[in-house]
Amino acid sequence: MTCLAEPFAVVHSVAGRVRLRLPRGLDGVRLARAAAAVDGVFDARANALAHSLVVTYDRERTDVERLRLAVRSLAATAETGRCRRPDHGLMAVAGSLAATAGVHVVPAGLRLPVALSTTAPLLGHAVEDWRENGLTSHGLEGLAVAISLARADYTAATTTAFMLTLGEHLEEGVARRADEMLAGLLRPTDATVWVRRDGGEIAIPRDAVEVGDSVVVAAGTVVPVDGTVLSGEAMVDEAVMTGESVSVTKARGAAVLSGTLVEEGRLIVYAEHVGRQTASARIADYVEQCLGAKSEAQIEANRLADRLVPLVLKLAGGAFLVSGDWRRAASVLQADYACALKLATPVAFKSAMYTAGRSAILVKGAQALERLASADTFVFDKTGTLTTGRLEVTEAVTFDSRYGPEDLINLAASVEEHYFHPLAMAVVAAARASAHYRHFDHREVEFIVAHGVASVIEGRRIVVGSRHFVAEDEGIDVAAHAEVIDRLYGEGKTLLFIGFGGELIGILALRDALREAAAATIARLRANGVKRVLMLTGDHRERAADLAAALGLDGFHAELMPHDKAAIVERLAAEGARIAFVGDGINDAPALAGAHVGIAMHRGADIARLTADIALLEDDLERIADAKEIADEAMRRISRNYRTTVWLNSAILGAAAFGFLSPVTTAILHNGTTIGILLASLRQRLRRRPGSSAVAATKAPTAAAPRP
C-alpha cells in the first residue's frame, strides 16, 4: 500500500549524510527537531535559504529512502492544510497579547509601530502565502487586519492578530495531540535486552537480538520481541496492544507481543520476530509512513475550503458596497471555512487510527478506514478465518469390537505424541481431554514423512496415517469400509487410518473448528449496514455448505484455486459491490490486494499481512466488526464536522455581513468554534462487547528496567 504521494527529493547524498529539498513555507526548524528524533539519525539541520534539510545518520540503522519517507511523513502535519502559520508558540502568543494590551496605553504616535510589531508577521505570511498559493484564508485574515490598520483602528488590528495567533496555537496543539496519540500507542523498549547465551544471562543491545534467542523479561520490563513463552509465569499488561484493561497470565506456550508490559513474574521468551519485524515496530513504521496520507474525504474538504475563500471575499466586498462600512468588511474577512474543514478531517482519522491500534487493529492509513466504512459486501476466506485453522477430532469410528472410540484415540495418541504435526497435536489433545485417558507403552516411533507414524505396542505393529500409507505401503485392506470412508470424506473431514496387527481397527475423523465468535461477528457486521456476507474456500462443497448454513451466510464458493478467489472478488467489484476481503493465507494475497479493502488475520502469512490494508494484531475475529464500527464512527464524525462547520461559519459570516459582529467578536467566535470542532474530532467512541475496553488507560512503563 502506498501511503505517501511523492517523497521529498534528494538534492545530494554521501555516505551517512543526505540533503533533502523542502517545500517553501514549511517550518524547517521545527521539522529538523522532529527529524533528529528519528531512529538512526545523529543530527538534522534546516537551511532556510536553500529550502533544504541536511540529515546525518547511522548507515547501519537506516538508509536514505527510509529517512526520506520519515521526513515526508513528519512534514505531513504542516501539509494538512494551509491553515497554520509557522512558529505560533507560547512566546508568539505572549508577545501578541502584550502588544494588544500596550496599544491602549502608549502615546498616540507609538500606537502604529506597536500595532505593526504584532501584525507584521501575520501580514508577511499572508503576502507570502498569496504569492505561492493564491488567495487563501491567510489572505483574507491579512486583508482584514490591513483594513483595521488603514482605519487607524489599532485595537481591532492587534486584538484580531492576538486571537488568530492564540487560535492557531491551540489548533496546532490539537492536531499535534492527534499525532502524539498514535506515537504514544507504543511503549519504547529498553536499549538493552537480557538473553540466555552460553549457559548464562547477558545484556545485549536491543538491535542485537536475533530470532531464536531466549529473551529474559522480568517484572517492570517491556517485552522487546514477539514470541512464545518457553518458561516462567507472569502477569502481562497488554492494554497498549489489545485494548484489554485486565492483565493476563502468560505461561509456557503462550504468545507475547512486543510493547506489552510484564507487571509481575518473570518469563523466558523464544524470539520469533525481532527488530523491525515485531508487531510494535510494524505499527510504528505504518504510523510513520501513513500519518499524513490524505483520504478522499480530506481532499474533498480541502477543495471545498479553497472554493469558499473567493465567496467570503465577495461577501465582504458586497457588505462594504451596501453599507459603506469597512468594519463590516473586516468582520466578514475574519471568518472562513478553511481551518475547520482542512484540519478536523485528518484529526478525526488519526483519532480513529489510534482507537483501532488500542483495539489490536493496525490500520494502514486514512484511506483504509474510508474504504472500510463504505464496504457493503464482506467476503471471508474459510480456513484460519471463519475457522480456527486448528483441527479437532470429531469422530472415532471403530471396526473392531475389542476397541472402543476412546481406545482408538489413546492408541493413536500414544505414538503421535512425539510428532509435532497439526493432526498429531489434535489427536493428543483429544486423548488428554478424554475421561479415560491412557498411555500405551510402545517401542521407538518411526516417522514416515507425509504419510504417518509406526511403532510396536504389545508386540504388534501399529500404524497411524493416511489412507495411502495404511492401504498401499502397509498392505492393510480398507475396501470393506469404503462406504463409511466415502461418507466421512464427503463431509469434508480429514481422516487418520489406524492399523493394528495388520488390520484396520478404526478411523479418526478431524475437522477444522469454527471460531466461537464467527456468528456474533457476522451479526454485528449486518447490524452495521453490511448487505452481503460471502465465503470463499478450497474445501469440499459439502463442508462449505454446512458452514455457510450454520452461519447464515448469503452465499459461498467452494473447491477454489487461489486465482479463483481473486477472480470472484474482481467479478463482484465489477458488479458494483464494495468488497472487504478477510483472509490469512499466501493464497489470499491476490484477493486481499484486489478488494476494495483487505483485512488480514493475526496469524496470517506475512505476504497476506503486507498486502492487506488492515491487519489484526490479535487472533480474535470480532476485531473485524470492531474495525467496521471504528471506520463508520469516523465517517459519521467527519460528516458532522462538515455540517457543523458550514452552519456555524455561515451564521457568523451572515451576522458579520449585517453588522451585528465587530472584527474582534468575529475572530473570537470563528477561532472558538474551530477549536471546538477539532476537540470533538479527537474523540472516538466504540461500542464494545462486555468485558473489554478499547480505550483502556495505558499504564506508564517502569522508568528503569531491572536486571532479570
Side-chain angles (χ1 to χ4, degrees):
M1 173 184 169
T2 302
C3 295
L4 301 174
E6 296 181 1
F8 285 6
V10 176
V11 179
H12 179 67
S13 177
V14 296
R17 186 174 181 272
V18 61
R19 181 186 294 273
L20 303 174
R21 187 177 303 282
L22 301 180
R24 293 178 180 271
L26 191 65
D27 184 0
V29 175
R30 183 175 174 183
L31 180 60
R33 287 198 299 266
V38 172
D39 185 41
V41 172
F42 294 133
D43 180 59
R45 292 180 293 104
N47 187 322
L49 295 177
H51 299 288
S52 65
L53 181 72
V54 179
V55 181
T56 306
Y57 61 94
D58 184 349
R59 289 184 296 166
E60 295 183 358
R61 297 169 61 188
T62 188
D63 53 38
V64 170
E65 183 62 21
R66 184 176 296 177
L67 286 174
R68 186 170 65 164
L69 289 175
V71 171
R72 181 68 173 89
S73 62
L74 288 171
T77 301
E79 294 178 346
T80 297
R82 296 166 187 162
C83 287
R84 284 181 259 175
R85 294 183 291 271
D87 298 325
H88 282 141
L90 289 175
M91 292 299 294
V93 174
S96 181
L97 177 60
T100 302
V103 79
H104 298 285
V105 298
V106 299
L110 295 178
R111 290 177 182 176
L112 177 59
V114 170
L116 288 175
S117 69
T118 190
T119 59
L122 184 150
L123 295 172
H125 183 72
V127 172
E128 181 183 356
D129 194 56
W130 174 73
R131 288 175 177 172
E132 295 188 0
N133 305 313
L135 185 61
T136 68
S137 61
H138 288 327
L140 299 182
E141 294 164 356
L143 185 56
V145 172
I147 291 173
S148 295
L149 290 173
R151 296 180 61 252
D153 189 350
Y154 303 130
T155 299
T158 55
T159 304
T160 298
F162 166 69
M163 289 306 306
L164 290 172
T165 303
L166 176 62
E168 294 197 8
H169 172 68
L170 294 175
E171 290 164 14
E172 288 176 354
V174 172
R176 188 164 54 249
R177 170 61 177 159
D179 293 347
E180 289 172 352
M181 284 195 312
L182 283 173
L185 188 65
L186 309 174
R187 290 193 182 101
T189 57
D190 300 298
T192 59
V193 176
W194 288 87
V195 299
R196 283 187 172 178
R197 289 185 182 175
D198 301 324
E201 296 179 2
I202 61 172
I204 63 174
R206 183 181 62 192
D207 296 340
V209 179
E210 300 176 353
V211 173
D213 273 338
S214 296
V215 178
V216 184
V217 191
T221 306
V222 175
V223 179
V225 299
D226 295 344
T228 302
V229 177
L230 293 174
S231 64
E233 185 172 349
M235 293 295 295
V236 179
D237 173 15
E238 295 185 311
V240 72
M241 295 298 288
T242 69
E244 298 293 342
S245 59
V246 179
S247 299
V248 296
T249 302
K250 296 289 185 179
R252 178 176 172 80
V256 291
L257 289 175
S258 59
T260 57
L261 177 67
V262 175
E263 294 182 323
E264 299 177 8
R266 187 173 186 269
L267 299 174
I268 308 298
V269 179
Y270 177 82
E272 296 173 354
H273 298 286
V274 302
R276 307 306 299 177
Q277 300 305 312
T278 63
S280 59
R282 289 198 299 270
I283 295 176
D285 285 342
Y286 283 122
V287 168
E288 180 181 82
Q289 295 177 20
C290 302
L291 200 58
K294 290 183 174 65
S295 66
E296 287 299 321
Q298 184 177 342
I299 292 171
E300 182 56 33
N302 290 353
R303 289 171 179 166
L304 177 60
D306 290 339
R307 288 198 300 268
L308 290 174
V309 168
L311 177 64
V312 174
L313 184 61
K314 292 176 182 177
L315 181 61
F320 172 72
L321 290 176
V322 171
S323 66
D325 185 358
W326 282 104
R327 284 175 58 84
R328 289 196 187 187
S331 295
V332 171
L333 293 173
Q334 298 294 337
D336 67 272
Y337 302 85
C339 289
L341 286 176
K342 289 185 176 182
L343 293 180
T345 300
V347 167
F349 274 126
K350 290 171 184 178
S351 177
M353 289 172 65
Y354 170 76
T355 301
R358 292 294 300 275
S359 301
I361 304 163
L362 174 59
V363 179
K364 303 178 184 179
Q367 302 98 325
L369 279 175
E370 193 172 43
R371 291 194 294 267
L372 180 59
S374 67
D376 56 17
T377 301
F378 269 68
V379 179
F380 287 86
D381 172 53
K382 180 183 80 68
T383 304
T385 303
L386 291 174
T387 63
T388 63
R390 297 186 296 271
L391 294 171
E392 61 180 18
V393 176
T394 60
E395 286 184 70
V397 182
T398 64
F399 301 134
D400 190 323
S401 59
R402 293 173 295 177
Y403 304 100
E406 289 185 334
D407 295 326
L408 283 181
I409 295 173
N410 287 330
L411 278 167
S414 296
V415 293
E416 290 271 30
E417 66 179 357
H418 307 289
Y419 192 31
F420 296 102
H421 185 278
L423 290 170
M425 295 171 68
V427 172
V428 172
R432 292 177 176 172
S434 170
H436 302 92
Y437 173 58
R438 176 188 174 189
H439 181 272
F440 289 87
D441 292 332
H442 55 80
R443 294 182 184 176
E444 183 178 354
V445 177
E446 178 185 1
F447 299 94
I448 299 91
V449 178
H451 287 73
V453 297
S455 187
V456 175
I457 295 178
E458 298 176 353
R460 288 184 291 174
R461 181 174 174 82
I462 181 171
V463 293
V464 181
S466 67
R467 180 175 185 172
H468 170 78
F469 172 49
V470 171
E472 299 184 20
D473 294 354
E474 294 292 326
I476 297 175
D477 182 24
V478 301
H481 310 289
E483 183 177 346
V484 175
I485 294 170
D486 291 343
R487 175 182 65 81
L488 293 173
Y489 273 133
E491 293 174 356
K493 295 178 179 178
T494 300
L495 304 185
L496 272 179
F497 293 76
I498 303 173
F500 194 33
E503 297 180 358
L504 182 67
I505 65 169
I507 295 174
L508 298 182
L510 300 93
R511 188 166 63 185
D512 192 3
L514 180 66
R515 288 182 182 268
E516 293 182 1
T521 299
I522 291 170
R524 288 176 63 191
L525 290 174
R526 293 192 190 280
N528 282 283
V530 175
K531 297 177 181 177
R532 285 192 297 173
V533 182
L534 308 175
M535 179 180 70
L536 306 182
T537 179
D539 204 350
H540 296 287
R541 181 168 298 277
E542 292 81 2
R543 168 60 175 153
D546 290 343
L547 189 63
L551 294 176
L553 303 183
D554 298 302
F556 70 92
H557 298 270
E559 301 176 359
L560 301 175
M561 298 297 288
H563 62 273
D564 294 330
K565 295 182 180 181
I568 291 171
V569 168
E570 184 178 353
R571 186 176 73 246
L572 290 170
E575 294 171 357
R578 293 184 295 275
I579 301 165
F581 182 86
V582 187
D584 72 322
I586 295 175
N587 60 341
D588 295 325
L592 286 166
H596 193 60
V597 58
I599 305 174
M601 296 297 293
H602 171 60
R603 298 185 183 277
D606 285 345
I607 189 171
R609 294 170 65 79
L610 289 171
T611 304
D613 302 288
I614 298 170
L616 304 188
L617 301 177
E618 187 177 81
D619 194 27
D620 184 349
L621 194 65
E622 283 205 73
R623 297 303 187 197
I624 295 169
D626 291 346
K628 174 64 173 168
E629 290 179 6
I630 290 170
D632 289 347
E633 172 65 16
M635 297 311 296
R636 284 193 295 268
R637 186 169 298 284
I638 289 169
S639 178
R640 286 195 295 270
N641 288 344
Y642 264 79
R643 294 194 300 270
T644 303
T645 299
V646 170
W647 280 104
L648 286 178
N649 282 278
S650 295
I652 293 171
L653 283 169
F658 282 102
F660 298 128
L661 300 177
S662 68
V664 173
T665 305
T666 303
I668 293 173
L669 289 175
H670 168 65
N671 284 280
T673 56
T674 297
I675 293 168
I677 291 170
L678 290 178
L679 289 173
S681 297
L682 278 176
R683 300 199 317 271
Q684 179 71 31
R685 295 190 301 270
L686 172 64
R687 296 185 300 275
R688 302 287 297 170
R689 58 190 183 279
S692 68
S693 170
V695 291
T698 303
K699 302 175 184 177
T702 302
R707 186 196 187 284

